[in-house]
Amino acid sequence: MTSRNKILVIGLATVLVFAGIYYAFSGDTTTDSDKSEAATTAKPGTISAAQIEKLGIRIVAAQAADAVPLGTVPAMVSLPPEASVAVAAPFDGAIIRLFVVEGQAVAQGAALASVKAREPLQIGANLARARAQLGLAQANARRLNQLAREGIIADARADEANSALHEAQINISEYQRILSQSGAGDSGQMTLRAPIGGRVSAINVQTGGPVDTMTAPFVIENTSSYMLDIQLPERLAKKVVPGLTVELQLPGSSNDTVPVNGTIISVSPSLDPMTRSVMAKARIGAAPGLVAGKNVRVTIKGDGSETGVSVPAMSVTRIDDKDYVFVLSGDRFTRREVTLVAQSGDNAFLSAGLKADEKVAASGIAELKVMLAGD
């Protein structure tokens, strides 16, 4: 081998040695932190206990529910048919004074307005004449009865006198009854009064305006009970029957909710072709904040045959018109679709998608949505 070839061989060997050393020291430069980040990227939803605490994620276990409600549906508060009473004037006249305003609470018998009418004056005059005729009829009946007993006149004449006396008494009683029920006095002034206790829901007259017997100047509403006009989806049309319990949640005094219970009393037999829903009615008691016309959501309790699980209402989130929960399995959260049937207070009831004792997130839902956006 020539000296030139020896030099080439030695140079090549030196290069190979340095290359091996470089490869040995630079072949794996990934740190443990880099490996952890790579693993997290590979499996969306993987999270450590420290991250759970830092993000404020609360984890709860799903609870078995033996009596899952049938559903939570929209409803509107209304008054029962017997709750509204119209106050009509017994005679045509004019309002001379109003004692109440719309929305005011009134007791039974409270004065609503004073009315000046002509007919009470005529009835008062008729009453005075009837009283005068009564005195004459009484004297005539006493005299003829005495003569009949002595045999001077026939008994038929005494009977006629007694009949006239009885007619005069009836006339007086009838005129007095009319004046008493109308609240009218001899001056022709009468007082309209509330027939029930409640609130004045409508005043259709004003001071100086006319009233007649065919219109109602006042409407009184009894607010001791209410009804719910419930809109049932088609899937619940055959499941909801009279007698089932309904519950609605009203805001309490300190950021809590107060449950108000009622009972289904009727369900429409037909389906509305426009809304594809069935109307049902329920009776409920009175509660603070409950007014006719208010839109609410009510939970219809089942008969105990429906089963499922309950989780905090905050655990259920809406994504693309579907309901989901975030389930923790090991150290990884996964998004799972569930069937939400009802929500009562702070609890949501699920009929499918989740089993009892499975762990779900009850807070930090927004963070988990971002973390699992591509899952």
Side-chain angles (χ1 to χ4, degrees), residues 168-191:
Q169 292 172 336
I170 291 176
N171 288 337
I172 291 175
S173 176
E174 184 66 13
Y175 293 142
Q176 288 177 336
R177 182 184 64 83
I178 293 174
L179 293 177
S180 175
Q181 289 186 351
S182 64
D186 297 337
S187 64
Q189 183 172 321
M190 58 184 176
T191 302

Side-chain angles (χ1 to χ4, degrees), residues 33 67 86 133 141 165 179 181 206 246 270 341:
S33 176
Q133 292 171 356
L165 172 62
L179 293 177
Q181 289 186 351
Q206 58 184 357
V246 298
S270 59
V341 294

Side-chain angles (χ1 to χ4, degrees), residues 57-73:
I57 300 175
R58 183 168 62 92
I59 300 172
V60 299
Q63 302 294 318
D66 295 331
V68 175
L70 294 178
T72 300
V73 294

Side-chain angles (χ1 to χ4, degrees), residues 69-86:
L70 294 178
T72 300
V73 294
M76 186 177 71
V77 181
S78 62
L79 289 170
E82 72 277 6
S84 296
V85 178

Side-chain angles (χ1 to χ4, degrees), residues 26 38 51 61 82 95-96 102 105 114 126 144 161 164 166 178 276 280 282 292 294 313 352 369:
S26 63
Q51 288 175 312
E82 72 277 6
I95 297 290
I96 60 175
E102 193 168 318
S114 290
N126 292 336
L144 293 181
H166 184 59
I178 293 174
R276 307 302 301 172
K294 182 174 184 173
K369 274 186 178 182

Side-chain angles (χ1 to χ4, degrees), residues 274-286:
M274 297 296 294
T275 62
R276 307 302 301 172
S277 62
V278 171
M279 294 304 297
K281 289 186 177 292
R283 284 189 180 272
I284 58 174

Side-chain angles (χ1 to χ4, degrees), residues 38-68:
T40 301
T41 304
K43 293 183 178 181
T46 302
I47 190 169
S48 65
Q51 288 175 312
I52 290 176
E53 182 178 358
K54 183 178 180 180
L55 293 175
I57 300 175
R58 183 168 62 92
I59 300 172
V60 299
Q63 302 294 318
D66 295 331
V68 175

